[in-house]
């Protein structure tokens, strides 16, 4: 007879493998055209959504729906995956037709996930049509008092004919946060390669009840409550949205969200309220880039209808490399003060194209510190589009923009002190309200072929916009067409950088390699010397007060940077590079005082009438020699 402990140990040994071993990930098949209920295998698939919805899927499981077959009702599978093993929903079978889930108005979402995470959804077709409107969605992912939900992929999904009501809870695709007790947000959301067509009211959006913070104001019931919890790593890319009843894409309550390479057209088709193409609200550092938006409607009595909108509660929203055309409400809306006590700041709009947009290019209803630079705006003959329509509370710096205004529209109140204009090409008609710009150009910018698409807005040969812009810090590094833009010398005006991006050195023989000092002039003591920072020679000046100087041609009201290398022969000696006779106080870089080569430089701005300046290398202190080499003077 065995001891009891031994029996227990043997029993435990026999039971442990079966009890502890987790089930391997499985693939389940759904074919709603099957004639009999099956077990979910490929040979015997499930045949209805109820069976799927009763299943709690495990990490790594896959649900596949048969191509070309329609399942009626709501798809609401249960369970969550893991980071290493997400749950996947996809298609199987031959052909290219997607499997269809048709809610037929019987549920608020054709596909619904609630308080679940780590899901990847691919290759489906979702509809939710009905004779009358109600709150409905195509795909709804909802987190309620959940904490953080991770990893959601929606890829190549076609959502269409969703008969929602005129409420922002009705969508083609929405990621929604609800609840009030547990801080909740989404992390890692990717919606790509998908199409949303004929839905009401919104196309593709995020939404959250965890939205209250000072910049958002007291609207939407926030009062003094503070509970802002941002959605993170949200990416909407390479999607097509069209025939949308209201808004196209809305990024709400996000941190560093990204909306790129989407095509949105025929937007705001049915909703009587304010709607826009692609926009963001109550978000930090959102980026909208490489999108095309056209034919956004502006319904009677409304204010929006723009392609893009930086709405209220935003921080540092960025709109770049987008193509906007034929939108009834215009190109851009700043609505930073639209909500009660709300504000937005730091919106940047750069290197975009706007063609034949209507109503106004910019509708400004509040923004504390916006930059609009290096855009090309084309208004065709017969247009009455205003360049700016301002309702106050907006501060904007316009820099390096082309305004080709062949219509009759004006500039509203944009001539106020809250707006600055610099290096603008104003061409075509010049209304009395055209803003003051000391550096403006009023000549034809010589666009290649206006009205023929984006490439037609490139700068042609001999364009006065070439090399005539003002340096803007943090300019993004590229233009609309993908070309590099200069960072330390004058860029081209508009969205196309046609000129070389290397800065032209206005100094002749700045490296002292010509075999002579010419055109430098020697004062007191100066000569070529084999001591060089690069090449075979440099300039030697001194002892004090020796110098070499050169007269250079400059433009009035322009900023330049003088830079170079220097050293001295002995401690106690100083040599400087500087500029004088340019319309301002003589300016020099910090002195070179070491016996090894060091770099230095200084910026200066020419006077209103000055066309020349004098650049020098000067031994100003001590009994030793000073050396200068590789001197550059570039327009910035």
């Amino acid at each position: 007879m065995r001891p009891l402990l031994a029996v227990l140990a043997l029993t435990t040994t026999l039971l442990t493998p079966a009890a502890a071993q987790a089930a391997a990930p499985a693939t389940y098949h759904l074919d709603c055209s099957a004639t009999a209920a099956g077990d979910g295998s490929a040979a015997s698939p499930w045949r209805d959504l109820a069976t799927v919805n009763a299943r709690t899927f495990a990490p790594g499981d896959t649900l596949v729906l048969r191509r070309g077959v329609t399942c009626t009702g709501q798809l609401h599978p249960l369970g969550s995956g893991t980071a290493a093993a997400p749950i996947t929903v996809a298609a199987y079978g031959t052909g290219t037709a997607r499997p269809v889930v048709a809610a037929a108005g019987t549920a608020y979402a054709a596909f619904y996930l609630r308080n679940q995470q780590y899901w990847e959804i691919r290759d489906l077709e979702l509809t939710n049509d009905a004779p009358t409107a109600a709150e409905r969605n195509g795909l709804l992912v909802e987190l309620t008092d959940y904490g953080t939900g991770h990893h959601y992929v929606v890829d190549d999904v076609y959502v269409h004919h969703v008969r929602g009501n005129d409420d922002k809870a009705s969508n083609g695709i929405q990621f929604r946060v609800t609840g009030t007790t547990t801080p909740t947000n989404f992390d890692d959301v990717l919606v790509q390669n998908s199409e949303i067509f004929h839905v009401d009211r919104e196309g593709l959006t995020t939404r959250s009840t965890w939205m209250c913070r000072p910049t958002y104001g007291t609207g939407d019931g926030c009062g003094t409550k503070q509970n802002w919890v941002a959605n993170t790593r949200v990416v909407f890319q390479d999607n097509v949205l069209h025939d949308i009843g209201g808004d196209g894409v809305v990024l709400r309550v996000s941190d560093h969200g990204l909306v790129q390479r989407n095509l949105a057209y025929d937007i705001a088709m049915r909703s009587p309220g304010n709607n826009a193409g692609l926009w963001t609200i109550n978000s930090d550092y959102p980026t909208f880039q490489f999108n095309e938006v056209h034919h956004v409607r502006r319904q009677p009595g409304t204010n929006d209808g723009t392609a893009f909108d930086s709405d209220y509660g935003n921080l540092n929203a960025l709109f770049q490399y987008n193509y906007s055309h034929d939108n009834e409400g215009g190109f851009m809306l700043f609505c930073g003060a639209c909500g009660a006590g709300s504000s937005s700041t730091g919106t940047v709009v750069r290197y975009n194209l706007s063609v034949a947009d209507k109503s106004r290019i910019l509708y400004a209803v509040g923004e504390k510190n916006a930059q609009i630079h290096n855009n090309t705006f084309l208004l065709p003959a017969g247009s009455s589009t205003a360049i700016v329509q301002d309702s106050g509370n907006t501060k904007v710096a316009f820099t390096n923009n082309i305004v080709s205004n062949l219509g009759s529209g004006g500039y509203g109140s944009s001539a106020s002190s809250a707006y600055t204009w610099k290096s603008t090409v104003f061409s075509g008609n010049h209304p009395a309200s055209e803003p003051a710009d000391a550096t403006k150009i009023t000549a034809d910018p010589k666009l290649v072929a206006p009205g023929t698409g984006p490439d037609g807005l490139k700068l042609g040969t001999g364009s006065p916009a070439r090399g005539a812009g003002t340096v803007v810090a943090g300019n993004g590094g590229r233009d609309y067409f993908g070309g590099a833009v200069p960072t330390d010398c004058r860029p081209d005006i508009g969205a196309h950088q046609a000129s070389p991006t290397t800065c032209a050195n206005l100094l002749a023989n700045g490296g002292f390699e010509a075999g002579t000092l010419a055109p430098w002039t020697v004062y007191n003591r100066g000569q070529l010397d084999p001591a060089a920072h690069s090449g075979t020679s440099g300039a030697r000046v001194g002892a004090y007060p020796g110098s070499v100087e050169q007269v250079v041609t400059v433009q009035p009201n322009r900023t330049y940077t003088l830079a170079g290398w220097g050293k001295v022969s002995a401690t106690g000696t100083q040599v400087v590079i500087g500029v004088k006779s340019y319309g301002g106080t003589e300016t020099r870089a910090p002195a070179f005082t070491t016996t090894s080569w060091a770099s230095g430089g200084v910026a200066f701005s020419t006077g209103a009438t000055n066309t020349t300046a004098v650049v020098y290398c000067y031994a100003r202190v001590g009994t030793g020699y000073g050396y200068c080499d590789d001197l550059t003077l570039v327009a910035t």
Side-chain angles (χ1 to χ4, degrees):
M1 182 176 180
R2 299 192 183 194
L4 178 59
L5 289 178
V7 174
L8 290 176
L10 178 61
T11 303
T12 302
T13 301
L14 293 174
L15 293 177
T16 296
Q21 184 177 6
T27 298
Y28 299 95
H29 297 73
L30 172 63
D31 177 3
C32 289
S33 68
T35 57
D39 58 9
S41 64
S44 180
W46 294 329
R47 66 170 180 175
D48 56 64
L49 293 172
T51 303
V52 176
N53 297 342
R55 180 82 185 186
T56 298
F57 289 82
D61 282 352
T62 298
L63 169 67
V64 289
L65 286 68
R66 185 165 184 172
R67 291 185 176 276
V69 174
T70 297
C71 295
T72 301
Q74 182 184 74
L75 177 58
H76 180 27
L78 305 176
S80 288
T82 64
I87 299 170
T88 301
V89 180
Y92 81 100
T94 59
T96 59
R98 296 178 178 87
V100 180
V101 178
T106 61
Y108 46 83
F111 193 147
Y112 183 45
L113 296 177
R114 183 175 184 274
N115 287 353
Q116 297 162 256
Q117 60 182 336
Y118 297 108
W119 281 79
E120 299 186 355
I121 303 165
R122 308 178 189 277
D123 307 322
L124 299 187
E125 182 174 337
L126 307 174
T127 73
N128 201 353
D129 209 355
T132 58
E135 180 186 332
R136 295 190 180 95
N137 294 269
L139 169 61
L140 175 61
V141 182
E142 184 173 15
L143 298 176
T144 304
D145 292 324
Y146 182 77
T148 299
H150 300 280
H151 189 71
Y152 306 85
V153 174
V154 180
D155 187 12
D156 193 23
V157 171
Y158 178 33
V159 180
H160 64 99
H161 288 87
V162 176
R163 186 71 184 277
N165 55 18
D166 190 47
D167 185 284
K168 296 187 178 184
S170 290
N171 291 258
I173 298 174
Q174 185 173 82
F175 286 80
R176 180 187 301 174
V177 171
T178 56
T180 59
T181 62
T182 302
T184 298
N185 69 317
F186 288 98
D187 173 68
D188 188 15
V189 174
L190 174 62
V191 180
Q192 64 179 3
N193 304 318
S194 295
E195 181 179 1
I196 301 175
F197 165 64
H198 193 73
V199 303
D200 293 308
R201 163 179 171 172
E202 301 196 316
L204 170 59
T205 75
T206 59
R207 196 173 187 185
S208 178
T209 54
W210 290 84
M211 61 185 177
C212 297
R213 59 176 176 167
T215 56
Y216 193 68
T218 60
D220 292 326
C222 279
T224 60
K225 179 172 61 177
Q226 305 300 321
N227 69 345
W228 192 77
V229 181
N231 299 306
T232 55
R233 296 194 294 168
V234 176
V235 178
F236 296 158
Q237 64 183 20
D238 301 304
N239 303 293
V240 177
L241 302 97
H242 56 122
D243 192 12
I244 308 299
D247 298 310
V249 175
V250 188
L251 192 64
R252 299 181 179 92
V253 195
S254 71
D255 182 15
H256 286 85
L258 177 62
V259 178
Q260 64 177 357
R261 298 191 304 268
N262 300 285
L263 171 62
Y265 63 95
D266 293 341
I267 308 297
M269 299 295 286
R270 290 169 292 279
S271 172
N274 287 309
N275 297 278
L278 277 59
W279 60 283
T280 185
I281 184 171
N282 200 13
S283 294
D284 288 353
Y285 299 93
T287 296
F288 289 69
Q289 61 183 13
F290 309 116
N291 302 288
E292 179 180 353
V293 182
H294 63 90
H295 292 93
V296 177
R297 296 270 185 94
R298 181 184 177 189
Q299 297 293 348
T302 64
N303 291 317
D304 289 16
T306 54
F308 301 98
D309 170 21
S310 179
D311 218 278
Y312 59 97
N314 289 325
L315 173 64
N316 295 337
L318 175 61
F319 296 82
Q320 60 184 4
Y321 320 127
N322 299 293
Y323 177 33
S324 167
H325 61 97
D326 301 288
N327 297 293
E328 291 186 358
F331 165 58
M332 191 79 215
L333 168 62
F334 291 161
C335 205
C338 288
S342 64
S343 63
S344 285
T345 188
T347 299
V348 173
V349 181
R350 67 188 181 197
Y351 288 102
N352 301 284
L353 306 178
S354 168
V355 177
D357 283 324
K358 299 173 176 59
S359 299
R360 56 269 160 132
I361 297 300
L362 170 66
Y363 181 34
V365 195
E367 220 291 350
K368 289 183 176 180
N369 189 28
Q371 292 186 63
I372 298 179
H373 72 85
N374 288 98
N375 303 281
T376 299
F377 305 125
L378 176 62
L379 302 175
S383 167
S384 60
T385 298
I387 289 77
V388 176
Q389 181 182 345
D390 182 86
S391 294
N393 302 309
T394 305
K395 181 180 179 181
V396 185
F398 287 87
T399 310
N400 301 338
N401 299 290
I402 292 177
V403 181
S404 182
N405 183 14
L406 306 182
S408 59
Y411 291 81
S413 62
S414 61
S416 71
S417 60
Y419 287 74
T420 61
W421 297 77
K422 193 170 185 180
S423 299
T424 311
V425 173
F426 295 110
S427 71
N429 292 329
H430 299 277
S433 58
E434 185 172 282
D437 180 350
T439 55
K440 70 181 178 181
I441 295 171
T442 56
D444 182 354
K446 296 185 179 180
L447 303 176
V448 171
T452 62
D455 284 347
L457 299 183
K458 291 182 176 180
L459 299 179
T461 302
S463 170
R466 292 187 178 219
T470 296
V471 171
V472 177
N475 61 15
R478 56 158 288 170
D479 69 1
Y480 173 87
F481 301 96
V485 298
T487 58
D488 55 358
C489 56
R490 294 167 64 84
D492 294 350
I493 296 174
H496 176 217
Q497 179 66 33
S499 305
T501 58
T502 55
C503 304
N505 187 2
L506 301 180
L507 290 171
N509 195 21
F512 304 101
E513 298 296 325
T516 175
L517 278 176
W520 295 91
T521 300
V522 177
Y523 288 87
N524 293 319
R525 304 176 186 89
Q527 65 184 61
L528 288 178
D529 193 280
H533 170 255
S534 68
T536 60
S537 60
R540 189 186 80 183
V541 292
Y544 169 80
S547 69
V548 294
E549 299 181 356
Q550 182 178 148
V551 179
V552 294
T553 300
V554 294
Q555 295 182 356
N557 292 318
R558 293 291 187 262
T559 300
Y560 296 84
T561 297
L562 171 66
W565 293 79
K567 70 174 185 174
V568 296
S569 64
T571 301
T573 300
Q574 294 184 9
V575 65
V576 294
I577 58 174
V579 60
K580 59 186 179 180
S581 303
Y582 63 89
T585 304
E586 183 174 342
T587 302
R588 59 178 180 249
F592 301 109
T593 60
T594 64
T595 57
S596 57
W597 288 104
S599 63
V602 65
F604 64 95
S605 297
T606 56
T609 60
N610 292 78
T611 58
T612 62
V614 177
V615 172
Y616 58 80
C617 167
Y618 170 47
R620 62 181 296 269
V621 172
T623 59
Y625 297 122
Y627 301 87
C628 295
D629 198 8
D630 294 334
L631 302 185
T632 61
L633 179 68
V634 298
T636 57

